[in-house]
Amino acid sequence: MNIGFDAKRLFFNGSGLGNYSRSTVRLLSEYAPENRYTLFTPKEGNRCGFRVPDGAGIVTPQGVRALSGSLWRSYGMSRAIRLSGVDIYHGLSNELPADIGRTRARSVVTMHDIIFVHHPELYKPVDRWLYARKYSRSCRDADRIVAISRQTAGDLINYWHVPEEKIDVVYQGCDPVFERTVGERQRREVRAAYGLPERYILSVGTIEERKNLMLTVRAMVAGRLDIDLVACGRHTRYADRVMEYAAAHGIGSRVRMLHSVPPGDLPAIYQMACAFVYPSFYEGFGIPILEALHSRVPVITTRGGVFPETGGDACIYVDPENTEEMLHALETVLGDTGAVGDMVAKGTAYARNFREPVIAANLTAVYRSLM
């Protein structure tokens, strides 16, 4: 099979959807090398450190079409798909070209979430309108839909009335690098590069209101916890609010925010942490939870939603609006070595459910069902 991918985020997005895109292309090329893979992108960009697999093709717009990447992705890429002889085109980030029906390819779209439906207050009205228009149309046009969790599949069925028989749930994985123990030399280098303290609580992900970092800071204040918080993620105005709150309550020096951390440094940062917190209000999957489980770090995350799918029986689950619950969870993972050992053992076992050979086999089965 010749399988084409929307690779814009593979080349340009350093987290989230970019990680999913890079992981998908890499693991398919490794575990299903009998296929040919073609990457469609407005331009190649910096690749975010990604090495394009040997034999994979890269298609970019040529001539006048190169003047507008966004228009090319929506209305010009279909011609390139047709000329490239692609059998199956896979939109990796919620959308397909508007005229995908003009190609000879069968189509698959991965739907990560429709958070803007659950929490419209977090999005501008124009963004909500645009996402709903593009994503619902892609679900309608696609031959198959890959949902990254049972929760996302249920949302598509309940909110947009997508036929259940059209959806395949295929979980995400995470880079195998998180499973490998980082050596002491690299740990020292990373600790020195970022000025990391000996003991810290870790958060990874865009520092935005939905991720709910403020709950952890409030718990630190309420419990007068003698430990630092390190947050790795893109800066937003919400990050400024968190820092203002921390400073106003006397712990400003113990809250550290790291932006634009290279992916290669993250395993060490995870593995040196005492605990990982992810009290998000809503996610499509929550891949940092899986990264933490692979890193053998105890995880505190949100009760309900998708989080038990991602974390299984390995995590402590809290109400995302309950400071006392978060404080109690933090006190447990920071002071109860027996509980931590049990959580790490369960986390290592549960993370095996998301092994790359299984994910590659499930995606390949989706493609074969269309041939």
Side-chain angles (χ1 to χ4, degrees):
M1 292 181 287
N2 184 353
I3 302 166
F5 298 103
D6 177 4
K8 174 190 173 183
R9 287 180 173 83
L10 181 152
F11 287 111
F12 290 98
N13 188 325
S15 61
L17 297 177
N19 287 337
Y20 174 79
S21 300
R22 287 183 289 274
S23 174
T24 298
V25 172
R26 178 184 54 77
L27 68 88
L28 283 171
S29 66
E30 181 175 348
Y31 293 102
E34 68 276 9
N35 299 320
R36 179 185 173 192
Y37 301 105
T38 305
L39 311 180
F40 295 85
T41 176
K43 53 185 178 179
E44 292 194 39
N46 61 16
R47 303 190 180 192
C48 299
F50 181 72
R51 187 182 72 82
V52 174
D54 294 339
I58 300 175
V59 176
T60 57
Q62 303 299 315
V64 67
R65 293 183 180 87
L67 297 177
S68 177
S70 59
L71 282 176
W72 181 76
R73 287 180 72 231
S74 295
Y75 297 101
M77 192 159 59
S78 292
R79 180 175 183 273
I81 293 170
R82 187 171 63 252
L83 293 176
S84 297
V86 165
D87 298 309
I88 294 172
Y89 176 81
H90 188 166
L92 295 171
S93 51
N94 304 316
E95 58 185 305
L96 295 172
D99 56 351
I100 188 66
R102 297 178 62 185
T103 74
R104 299 185 182 91
R106 307 302 299 277
S107 59
V108 179
V109 64
T110 292
M111 292 299 301
H112 296 263
D113 59 69
I114 50 173
I115 295 173
F116 60 91
V117 175
H118 283 269
H119 291 283
E121 73 279 4
L122 300 177
Y123 296 82
K124 297 177 182 178
V126 66
D127 289 338
R128 295 199 307 268
W129 175 83
L130 182 63
Y131 296 157
R133 182 172 179 270
K134 290 199 301 183
Y135 298 172
S136 62
R137 181 188 64 209
S138 295
C139 288
R140 183 181 66 247
D141 292 347
D143 293 305
R144 299 297 300 173
I145 297 168
V146 168
I148 64 166
S149 65
R150 293 193 301 273
Q151 174 183 268
T152 294
D155 286 347
L156 296 176
I157 294 166
N158 295 330
Y159 287 98
W160 288 351
H161 309 294
V162 174
E164 183 175 1
E165 60 273 14
K166 190 176 182 178
I167 303 173
D168 298 288
V169 176
V170 180
Y171 288 118
Q172 299 183 77
C174 72
D175 196 313
V177 70
F178 290 98
E179 300 180 50
R180 303 169 194 146
T181 300
V182 176
E184 283 301 321
R185 179 178 177 180
Q186 185 179 354
R187 292 187 186 212
R188 288 195 301 270
E189 291 173 350
V190 170
R191 191 185 297 277
Y194 297 101
L196 298 177
E198 285 297 317
R199 300 175 70 249
Y200 60 89
I201 302 162
L202 177 65
S203 171
V204 175
T206 301
I207 306 170
E208 60 185 344
E209 187 169 358
R210 175 169 56 88
K211 303 290 186 182
N212 197 26
L213 184 65
M214 187 73 84
L215 180 70
T216 304
V217 177
R218 286 176 175 152
M220 290 172 62
V221 171
R224 299 180 180 179
L225 299 182
D226 185 20
I227 194 168
D228 285 26
L229 171 64
V230 175
C232 300
R234 181 171 58 83
H235 180 269
T236 65
R237 291 182 180 178
Y238 175 77
D240 295 331
R241 286 165 46 198
V242 171
M243 290 304 300
E244 289 167 3
Y245 179 90
H249 289 81
I251 66 167
S253 63
R254 298 217 309 273
V255 178
R256 308 179 184 209
M257 296 191 178
L258 307 179
H259 311 300
S260 303
V261 175
D265 290 344
L266 278 176
I269 294 174
Y270 269 107
Q271 292 178 29
M272 292 188 293
C274 297
F276 179 76
V277 291
Y278 201 74
S280 174
F281 286 108
Y282 196 90
E283 297 291 331
F285 183 76
I287 201 165
I289 295 173
L290 190 55
E291 293 172 346
L293 295 182
H294 277 302
S295 301
R296 298 168 293 283
V297 179
V299 175
I300 301 169
T301 187
T302 303
R303 182 183 302 118
V306 76
F307 304 101
E309 279 190 74
T310 312
D313 61 350
C315 306
I316 296 178
Y317 296 95
V318 300
D319 182 330
E321 299 189 78
N322 192 315
T323 302
E324 290 185 5
E325 281 194 20
M326 174 58 85
L327 174 57
H328 179 69
L330 286 171
E331 289 174 335
T332 298
V333 298
L334 295 175
D336 189 336
T337 55
V340 168
D342 185 55
M343 291 173 69
V344 169
K346 289 180 177 178
T348 302
Y350 189 76
R352 296 192 188 107
N353 293 314
F354 305 94
R355 291 175 300 173
E356 291 193 338
V358 176
I359 297 169
N362 290 338
L363 283 174
T364 301
V366 174
Y367 300 150
R368 287 176 177 161
S369 73
L370 295 174
M371 298 300 291

